Amino acid sequence: MPSHWDTRADLTVTSGRKVRYMLSADAVPQEGGIGATIENAVDVVFNPIATVLSDVVFAKVTIFGAQFPWIVAWLVAAGVALTLYFGFVQFRHPITAVKIARKGLGNGAPGEVTHFQALTAAVSGTVGLGNIAGVAIAVTIGGPGATFWMILAGLLMMAVKFAECTLGVKYREIGPGGKVSGGPMKYLAKGLAERGMAGVGKVLAGLTAAFILIFAVAGGNMFQANQTLEQLRTVTGGEEGLLGGSTGSFVFGVFLALLVGVVVIGGITSITKVTSKLVPSMTIVYVLACVVVIGMNIPMLPDAVGQIISGAFSPTGVAGGALGAMIIGFQRAAFSNEAGIGSSPIALATVKTNYPASAGLVAMLGPFLDTVVICTMTALTIVIASPQSWIAAREAAAAGEPLPGGVSLTSDAFGTVLPWFPYVLTVAVVLFALSTVITWSYYGLKGWTHLFGEGKRSERIYLVIYCVFLVIGSVLTLGAVLDMADALVFAAALFNIIGLYLLAPVVKKELARLLAHLRGEGEKEPAKADDKPEGPAEELVK
């Protein structure tokens, strides 16, 4: 996930021990001049708000002497509960999900894009710098064993993604011309209304729309522009190079805004045409680069796998021991794949289907690709290559000292193969950030139209604002605004997951309806939120 908090936070692993770090891709605020004046003025206004929100949303809970954000426990607990309730759906139907992603469910169904296109849009919104830099920090603080827990959490969160994206299609609205609007704003309002909680649903839907909109403009937009510029600046001569100075930043921002504007003005159809090509390409480039590093160090592979497994249960040099490794792994997975946040259902709601659960099955492939594949490849590459900078960083983490940037650790691992290989990493970072900006423009648009109404004029106003903030994000850092946006989008997970628990019986019946259709059985009645829960569902929704 494109989370600023995720990549610039204090990670408290044991009581009283904090490990501070800042990614090399984070922009450095301008020193002096009007830019610094503006940043200082904005920070003065937003710092108090951001501090209060962050203290609440990312507050730590303590278990057996180890601390971690309660929101992580909330997300992972949902993964466990929904995995059990849906009968381990992510392990029972992955082949069905792949088949639907490849072939869809036939022509003529309402919607705007194919299952595959919607999946690539959702994945492009989750895959970002955190998959590269965040994972590097995770295996530094939590050791190789954090990878094991990261994979486990990623698998559990597939059930959450399945549930929310099924509801995204179930309660979507299709307007004139076939334009679709879906996501938590729709299923919280309509689904809870069916359960006799219309007022609560309307409030939660409005808050979720506002939180997603704010994060789209800040975390999914400004921060991505900022980190992309910094990555390109490092390989073009730094401050003395082509992109050095405020002029270079402004020109880059304008170019990026024009590029994104051309893509997003065509709506979800135009966006998915880009992401359906960009996501597979950037994933293949990055994974192949990791495979090359692993292949060049193939004798070390068994030992690396052994470190990951043994480090999950008996790590050395990890604050908090096995529990510390587990917390770091869970945290990385929870902040990586966006399951439970409510963003992906906005994209998956647009699929051409008469069976909502088909979108849910396809959507659960997202956390697998994001966390189980890409994040794991990053971790395995670093552990196998074991660059000296990573070894030194682990010693620094154990001593509670500041760490180097996560991107630099991954870059050093790439550099163990060929001197120019870190440039491949730069290409991957830029592509990841670009895809995130494109997809989050659509998420923000749906939040905007929910709050301010549909219509071309309304949409054009939003897109202009979104592109302007791309330029602003290239020139200014506005750290307090980003901190506030991060806190708000994770607060949305609180509302969203409550909705998933209450509407879980609907999801279960939609899954049964889809599976009956695939088996060629008679058509079942579509589920409703006020249907009487069956079996364990009654306990789940109480």
Side-chain angles (χ1 to χ4, degrees):
M1 177 171 179
S3 173
H4 175 72
W5 183 89
D6 176 34
T7 53
R8 288 188 63 179
D10 288 345
L11 293 184
T12 305
V13 182
T14 55
S15 180
R17 298 186 65 180
K18 292 186 178 180
V19 182
R20 297 178 179 272
Y21 65 89
M22 177 179 286
L23 299 180
S24 60
D26 281 347
V28 179
Q30 294 186 26
E31 299 178 3
I34 189 171
T37 302
I38 294 173
E39 288 200 25
N40 290 335
V42 172
D43 284 347
V44 166
V45 174
F46 285 96
N47 258 326
I49 303 173
T51 299
V52 171
L53 287 173
S54 296
D55 287 347
V56 173
V57 176
F58 300 124
K60 307 293 194 303
V61 294
T62 302
I63 297 182
F64 301 116
Q67 294 184 325
F68 63 104
W70 69 268
I71 193 67
V72 174
W74 176 252
L75 291 167
V76 175
V80 174
L82 295 176
T83 293
L84 294 174
Y85 179 66
F86 295 127
F88 298 89
V89 62
Q90 65 268 56
F91 303 108
R92 290 168 51 216
H93 302 296
I95 295 177
T96 301
V98 172
K99 288 180 179 178
I100 295 175
R102 290 180 57 201
K103 301 179 181 179
L105 287 176
N107 298 321
E112 295 186 76
V113 300
T114 66
H115 286 79
F116 177 74
Q117 288 175 326
L119 174 63
T120 60
V123 171
S124 71
T126 62
V127 175
L129 186 65
N131 298 76
I132 299 172
V135 172
I137 296 298
V139 296
T140 298
I141 301 173
T147 308
F148 175 88
W149 299 111
M150 178 179 68
I151 293 172
L152 177 61
L155 293 172
L156 292 173
M157 299 304 284
M158 290 171 68
V160 178
K161 189 79 80 170
F162 162 73
E164 62 182 355
C165 290
T166 297
L167 293 173
V169 175
K170 174 67 180 176
Y171 293 102
R172 67 185 178 180
E173 295 178 354
I174 302 179
K179 182 174 290 187
V180 176
S181 291
M185 296 81 73
K186 302 302 180 184
Y187 60 73
L188 287 175
K190 298 168 70 174
L192 294 184
E194 289 181 358
R195 293 191 64 82
M197 294 181 284
V200 174
K202 187 174 182 179
V203 171
L204 295 184
L207 288 173
T208 301
F211 294 170
I212 288 176
L213 172 60
I214 293 171
F215 185 80
V217 173
N221 183 344
M222 291 168 58
F223 180 58
Q224 300 302 312
N226 218 303
Q227 72 178 28
T228 304
L229 172 62
E230 289 303 308
Q231 282 299 301
L232 290 174
R233 184 177 285 164
T234 59
V235 297
T236 56
E239 292 296 332
E240 303 300 323
L242 180 64
L243 295 176
S246 58
T247 301
S249 299
F250 178 78
V251 171
F252 169 80
V254 171
F255 173 78
L256 183 61
L258 291 173
L259 179 63
V260 172
V262 169
V263 175
V264 303
I265 199 170
I268 189 63
T269 304
S270 175
I271 290 171
T272 56
K273 285 181 180 179
V274 174
T275 58
S276 63
K277 296 178 176 61
L278 183 59
V279 169
S281 299
M282 70 185 191
T283 302
I284 290 171
V285 167
Y286 184 68
V287 170
L288 283 180
C290 291
V291 168
V292 170
V293 176
I294 294 170
M296 296 292 286
N297 296 276
I298 198 66
M300 301 297 295
L301 180 58
D303 180 64
V305 174
Q307 289 184 57
I308 290 173
I309 296 174
S310 63
F313 303 98
S314 57
T316 57
V318 175
L323 188 58
M326 181 182 71
I327 290 170
I328 295 300
F330 279 2
Q331 185 166 266
R332 170 89 297 276
F335 291 145
S336 174
N337 56 53
E338 292 184 17
I341 299 298
S343 54
S344 294
I346 299 175
L348 269 296
T350 62
V351 299
K352 297 176 180 177
T353 184
N354 289 310
Y355 296 89
S358 68
L361 289 182
V362 171
M364 72 183 188
L365 298 175
F368 183 83
L369 292 171
D370 176 276
T371 305
V372 180
V373 175
I374 298 178
C375 287
T376 301
M377 290 301 292
T378 300
L380 202 55
T381 298
I382 293 172
V383 174
I384 285 180
S386 293
Q388 186 59 43
S389 59
W390 180 62
I391 296 173
R394 289 202 63 194
E395 295 173 353
E401 299 173 357
L403 304 183
V407 170
S408 66
L409 295 175
T410 309
S411 180
D412 289 344
F414 275 46
T416 61
V417 176
L418 292 170
W420 55 266
F421 224 52
Y423 287 96
V424 177
L425 179 64
T426 299
V427 172
V429 168
V430 172
L431 292 178
F432 286 176
L434 179 61
S435 67
T436 297
V437 170
I438 291 172
T439 296
W440 270 92
S441 71
Y442 182 71
Y443 294 164
L445 173 62
K446 290 306 173 182
W448 174 277
T449 55
H450 182 85
L451 295 170
F452 302 110
E454 304 275 354
K456 287 188 176 181
R457 184 172 181 273
S458 177
E459 293 180 5
R460 291 290 187 270
I461 292 173
Y462 164 78
L463 291 178
V464 169
I465 293 173
Y466 191 84
C467 290
V468 167
F469 271 91
L470 272 173
V471 180
I472 294 174
S474 300
V475 178
L476 303 177
T477 305
L478 303 181
V481 176
L482 300 179
D483 290 339
M484 182 188 71
D486 281 345
L488 288 176
V489 78
F490 280 105
L494 175 63
F495 309 144
N496 186 48
I497 288 177
I498 290 174
L500 298 188
Y501 285 144
L502 293 171
L503 298 174
V506 176
V507 178
K508 195 170 190 177
K509 290 192 175 183
E510 285 296 341
L511 176 60
R513 191 168 78 92
L514 170 66
L515 296 178
H517 169 73
L518 295 176
R519 290 192 297 265
E521 299 175 3
E523 182 70 15
K524 292 189 175 184
E525 189 73 19
K528 296 181 180 179
D530 55 358
D531 286 344
K532 184 177 180 180
E534 299 177 1
E538 188 171 2
E539 294 299 319
L540 183 61
V541 301
K542 281 184 178 178

